[in-house]
């Protein structure tokens, strides 16, 4: 019997994120129909964050990517891409977590907490963090 994991990403990505990364992220979230040509088809074989309409998570899977205001400075309004994704993954997908973390890490606006994963019946999540263009160590 397979284990199931709730996987949540919640972070701000830089407003100047390259269009190729934004396209890849939209595809992974199920917001674009076709894999961008720039993505390695072997490493990015299917959309990892696309919501499952039949998810058994309470409230279901959910994804959001939107450009948000982050405040006003003397130089003008600041923006960032707000990402939120909550999905249920099978245990054999958990290695794919590195694919998403590698995609996001260089573009995270603020270091620190950026989400978690937890086995569906566990109370304690495993948090992941981003810092200096990479992510913290994980124990899968």
């Amino acid at each position: 019997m397979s284990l199931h994991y709730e996987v949540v990403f919640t972070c701000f990505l830089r407003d100047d994120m390259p269009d190729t990364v934004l396209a890849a992220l939209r595809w992974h979230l199920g917001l674009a129909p076709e894999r961008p040509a720039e993505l390695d088809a072997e490493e990015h074989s299917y959309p990892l964050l696309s919501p499952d309409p039949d998810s058994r998570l309470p409230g279901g899977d959910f994804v959001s990517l939107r450009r948000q205001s982050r405040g006003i400075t003397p130089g003008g309004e600041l923006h960032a891409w707000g990402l939120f994704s909550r999905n249920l993954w099978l245990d054999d997908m958990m290695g794919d977590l590195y694919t998403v973390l590698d995609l996001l890490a260089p573009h995270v606006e603020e270091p620190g907490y950026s989400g978690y994963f937890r086995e569906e019946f566990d109370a304690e999540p495993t948090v992941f963090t981003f810092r200096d263009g990479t992510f913290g160590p994980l124990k899968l």
Side-chain angles (χ1 to χ4, degrees), residues 58-72:
D61 288 5
F62 183 82
V63 299
S64 176
L65 177 67
R66 64 187 184 106
R67 190 168 183 253
Q68 296 177 245
S69 174
R70 298 279 289 152
I72 307 245

Side-chain angles (χ1 to χ4, degrees), residues 22-37:
L22 194 54
L25 186 53
R26 284 185 174 127
W27 178 74
H28 275 295
L29 292 165
L31 302 174
E34 295 184 23
R35 177 183 24 253

Side-chain angles (χ1 to χ4, degrees), residues 12 26 40 44:
F12 283 104
R26 284 185 174 127
D40 179 319
H44 301 267

Side-chain angles (χ1 to χ4, degrees), residues 15-140:
D15 193 36
D16 64 353
M17 185 170 47
D19 290 340
T20 55
V21 175
L22 194 54
L25 186 53
R26 284 185 174 127
W27 178 74
H28 275 295
L29 292 165
L31 302 174
E34 295 184 23
R35 177 183 24 253
E38 299 83 16
L39 281 183
D40 179 319
E42 190 172 313
E43 183 180 6
H44 301 267
S45 55
Y46 57 93
L48 296 170
L49 303 173
S50 182
D52 177 356
D54 295 322
S55 174
R56 64 190 211 190
L57 281 174
D61 288 5
F62 183 82
V63 299
S64 176
L65 177 67
R66 64 187 184 106
R67 190 168 183 253
Q68 296 177 245
S69 174
R70 298 279 289 152
I72 307 245
T73 68
E77 191 170 8
L78 298 175
H79 290 91
W81 288 97
L83 169 66
F84 182 83
S85 169
R86 177 180 182 241
N87 303 87
L88 188 67
W89 286 13
L90 289 172
D91 53 1
D92 62 353
M93 292 176 62
M94 291 305 288
D96 292 328
L97 192 57
Y98 290 100
T99 300
V100 179
L101 293 168
D102 284 337
L103 179 68
L104 298 177
H107 310 288
V108 171
E109 183 174 72
E110 298 173 356
Y113 172 83
S114 296
Y116 67 89
F117 66 90
R118 68 176 183 87
E119 198 274 321
E120 70 179 321
F121 299 113
D122 284 351
E124 295 295 321
T126 299
V127 170
F128 41 87
T129 59
F130 292 111
R131 187 169 320 302
D132 299 325
T134 189
F135 53 91
L138 293 178
K139 292 183 182 181
L140 294 180

